[in-house]
Amino acid sequence: EKQLLIFNYDLKLILHNKEASRSTMLCDTFADKFGRAGLFDCLAEIGYGAGKILENLSILIKDSSIILNGYDISPHVIEIASRIKSDRIKFLLCDLTEKEPADYDILLVINVIEHIPDYLTFLERCRSKAKYEIFHIPLDVSALSVLLNRIVPKRYEISHLHYFTYEYTITVLKDTVMK
């Protein structure tokens, strides 16, 4: 049975290095917790964007036998990510959630859920792709964001279709991935 572990990296990482990019900080924390300890052999990332998370992991995790695959459905994104030169990373243009069950140790889904129209079905499909799933879902809804009407402008600025609170995110993950 899967367990839900919650790790809030934002505060630690902001304090750790104010100058580093968000993906660099995430990778540094991830590599410390999992990669350098040799806890996995193959990792997939859905929605890899510019490929920076996989690139940083390939640098931080020295074991060259670890497989790092990225999946995205945007031809534009794969064009951007293909500029990264690494023998360890494969950037694939396909939807991993529509493939047969995959045999990854870890699945990363970082800043993706809020952009997917049917995120509940997407999360359910993530269940059979890896032993462990790691999600980062922005928590955009707060009392302040509602009072200052900051949610609607974000929809157009950063293409978020959905907005989450902490409690709602935990419930959604329990109802989909954790089933």
Side-chain angles (χ1 to χ4, degrees):
E1 181 179 315
K2 290 190 178 187
Q3 296 180 347
L4 182 61
L5 302 174
I6 301 163
F7 177 64
N8 182 352
Y9 73 84
D10 289 329
L11 180 60
K12 176 185 174 195
L13 294 174
I14 289 168
L15 294 174
H16 172 68
N17 184 349
K18 292 179 182 176
E19 303 302 317
S21 73
R22 199 167 187 80
S23 68
T24 302
M25 293 185 290
L26 170 66
C27 291
D28 194 33
T29 300
F30 181 84
D32 282 342
K33 299 281 182 197
F34 301 100
R36 294 182 186 130
L39 297 176
F40 66 94
D41 294 320
C42 53
L43 175 142
E45 181 184 14
I46 294 179
Y48 55 79
K52 289 298 183 184
I53 291 174
L54 292 174
E55 179 183 34
N56 287 327
L57 285 175
S58 74
I59 294 166
L60 291 168
I61 300 169
K62 302 299 182 203
D63 184 348
S64 62
S65 68
I66 292 177
I67 296 166
L68 302 170
N69 290 344
Y71 294 85
D72 209 303
I73 59 170
S74 169
H76 175 69
V77 166
I78 199 165
E79 181 181 320
I80 293 168
S82 67
R83 296 177 189 155
I84 295 171
K85 302 299 179 210
S86 172
D87 295 335
R88 297 180 59 197
I89 305 170
K90 287 184 191 169
F91 294 110
L92 305 160
L93 182 62
C94 69
D95 185 348
L96 178 63
T97 67
E98 292 183 358
K99 292 179 152 261
E100 294 297 318
D103 194 23
Y104 288 101
D105 294 316
I106 296 176
L107 175 66
L108 296 178
V109 182
I110 310 299
N111 292 340
V112 171
I113 305 301
E114 65 276 11
H115 300 281
I116 297 176
D118 185 4
Y119 67 91
L120 295 172
T121 300
F122 173 83
L123 286 168
E124 287 174 351
R125 290 179 177 168
C126 285
R127 256 192 315 219
S128 63
K129 305 308 171 198
K131 292 177 193 165
Y132 304 100
E133 297 91 7
I134 297 176
F135 298 94
H136 179 267
I137 302 170
L139 305 177
D140 292 326
V141 178
S142 67
L144 188 60
S145 68
V146 171
L147 286 172
L148 297 177
N149 193 30
R150 290 186 177 164
I151 295 172
V152 174
K154 276 192 175 189
R155 182 174 184 92
Y156 302 103
E157 290 172 25
I158 54 178
S159 308
H160 286 190
L161 302 176
H162 308 287
Y163 303 93
F164 299 90
T165 63
Y166 174 82
E167 293 80 9
Y168 183 70
T169 301
I170 298 304
T171 301
V172 165
L173 291 174
K174 285 181 179 178
D175 290 347
T176 55
V177 180
M178 302 297 297
K179 265 189 188 174

